[in-house]
């Protein structure tokens, strides 16, 4: 349904234009994949070549409407911000912004809010450092905690200092000049803020951390011998149901799907 996919893209574009208060004037190409990307990118659900005005996303019947809207918005954010404010100064700020705006566009969904996720990881002593050069961003399936930590940090910056500052620091990377504090100090402030976030009693932080790690391990093992045969495709869809259950904080259901 090309028209439905076009509406999905245009709705994401309208959302970003509204949030940034500008009109994106450039044409760009959207590529939609009906099956997984080729190795070594089997686990990716979206990607882009922003400098060439190209964005790609997976539309193979997995996920759900909220997940799809997040994915399209996430990938478009990369292209939108690159050509509006300049190339990103770091992978952290590029992925963090894409996660933040993607999640903002599905704020009324059942997805676990970024701050709840990160506050849980902090309480479990497992929250990644957003200022570390060793932090990897190899796709949400492989590095979900890193993407969400970066997105949560960007949310803190925008909530505290406004969206205008992000437009500046996105390209120049001068946190001290833009915010009056270096990245390390801002990260400390963010972690202190997360300590004030109330975690629902129904969510056990250690269980969440374990579930994220187990899902990542399951996907890694699964894709080693993936060829797309019917039996593997059935297992792939159960893995995806586990992925959605995890993103929505339904840890017991996630484990049922993993054990199927």
């Amino acid at each position: 349904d090309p028209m439905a996919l076009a509406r999905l893209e245009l709705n994401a574009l309208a959302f970003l234009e509204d949030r940034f208060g500008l009109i994106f004037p450039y044409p760009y190409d959207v590529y939609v994949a009906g099956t997984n990307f080729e190795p070594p990118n089997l686990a990716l659900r979206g990607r882009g070549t922003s400098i060439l005005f190209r964005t790609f996303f997976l539309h193979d019947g997995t996920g759900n409407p909220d997940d799809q809207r997040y994915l399209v918005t996430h990938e478009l954010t990369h292209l939108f911000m690159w050509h509006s404010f300049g190339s990103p100064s770091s992978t952290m700020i590029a992925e963090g912004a894409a996660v933040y705006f993607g999640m903002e566009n599905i704020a009324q969904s059942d997805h676990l809010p970024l701050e709840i996720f990160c506050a849980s990881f902090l309480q479990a002593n497992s929250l990644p450092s957003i200022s570390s050069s060793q932090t990897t961003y190899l796709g949400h399936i492989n590095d979900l905690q890193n993407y969400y930590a970066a997105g949560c940090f960007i949310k803190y910056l925008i909530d505290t200092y406004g969206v205008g500052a992000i437009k500046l620091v996105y390209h120049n990377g001068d946190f001290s000049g833009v915010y009056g504090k270096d990245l390390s100090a801002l990260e400390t402030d963010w972690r202190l803020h997360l300590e004030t976030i109330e975690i629902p009693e129904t969510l056990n932080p250690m269980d969440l951390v374990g579930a994220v790690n187990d899902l990542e391990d399951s996907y890694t093992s699964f894709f080693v011998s993936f060829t797309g045969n019917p039996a593997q495709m059935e297992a792939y869809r159960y893995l995806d149901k586990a992925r959605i259950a995890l993103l929505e904080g339904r840890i017991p259901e996630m484990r049922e799907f993993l054990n199927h």
Side-chain angles (χ1 to χ4, degrees):
D1 190 343
M3 293 305 296
L5 293 173
R7 285 194 299 271
L8 190 65
E9 187 73 25
L10 289 171
N11 287 341
L13 179 60
F15 170 80
L16 291 173
E17 288 179 332
D18 179 70
R19 284 303 308 268
F20 285 110
L22 57 84
I23 299 298
F24 191 73
Y26 309 108
Y28 62 94
D29 296 319
V30 181
Y31 294 83
V32 185
T35 58
N36 301 79
F37 296 113
E38 291 182 336
N41 299 314
L42 283 167
L44 292 184
R45 299 185 60 80
R47 59 183 311 178
T49 312
S50 295
I51 195 170
L52 298 178
F53 290 93
R54 296 172 181 170
T55 182
F56 303 74
F57 67 89
L58 182 67
H59 188 76
D60 65 350
T62 56
N64 60 24
D66 290 326
D67 180 59
Q68 201 71 45
R69 191 159 78 251
Y70 167 82
L71 176 62
V72 170
T73 308
H74 178 106
E75 294 305 331
L76 181 56
T77 298
H78 288 302
L79 188 151
F80 187 101
M81 294 190 73
W82 182 301
H83 292 288
S84 297
F85 313 119
S87 58
S89 56
S90 69
T91 303
M92 183 280 291
I93 201 167
E95 295 299 345
V99 169
Y100 167 74
F101 286 106
M103 291 294 280
E104 283 293 292
N105 200 19
I106 61 167
Q108 305 306 313
S109 74
D110 291 329
H111 276 54
L112 200 61
L114 287 174
E115 289 189 329
I116 298 296
F117 182 97
C118 290
S120 297
F121 264 70
L122 179 64
Q123 191 174 116
N125 294 316
S126 298
L127 183 65
S129 169
I130 54 89
S131 60
S132 172
S133 61
Q134 304 303 312
T135 303
T136 58
Y137 299 90
L138 301 177
H140 288 51
I141 285 172
N142 292 320
D143 291 316
L144 179 65
Q145 64 275 20
N146 297 342
Y147 283 86
Y148 270 25
C152 189
F153 177 66
I154 297 299
K155 174 177 171 56
Y156 169 76
L157 293 182
I158 291 177
D159 288 350
T160 306
Y161 298 96
V163 73
I166 285 293
K167 298 177 183 180
L168 298 174
V169 79
Y170 186 82
H171 177 64
N172 68 23
D174 183 11
F175 288 91
S176 296
V178 173
Y179 295 106
K181 297 181 179 182
D182 63 18
L183 180 56
S184 178
L186 289 167
E187 181 172 11
T188 297
D189 291 347
W190 166 59
R191 286 174 174 261
L192 290 173
H193 167 70
L194 287 177
E195 291 179 358
T196 70
I197 301 298
E198 185 175 349
I199 300 170
E201 293 182 1
T202 54
L203 184 65
N204 183 293
M206 294 301 296
D207 288 348
L208 178 62
V209 172
V212 170
N213 291 333
D214 289 347
L215 184 65
E216 178 185 334
D217 291 343
S218 295
Y219 268 110
T220 299
S221 299
F222 176 75
F223 280 130
V224 166
S225 58
F226 183 76
T227 60
N229 65 51
Q232 288 178 331
M233 290 308 298
E234 182 180 5
Y236 168 70
R237 296 191 183 281
Y238 272 101
L239 264 178
D240 186 72
K241 291 179 185 294
R243 180 181 69 86
I244 294 297
L246 171 62
L247 293 177
E248 295 181 351
R250 296 181 281 113
I251 307 303
E253 291 181 53
M254 172 260 189
R255 297 213 169 274
E256 289 180 11
F257 288 126
L258 276 189
N259 294 329
H260 189 275

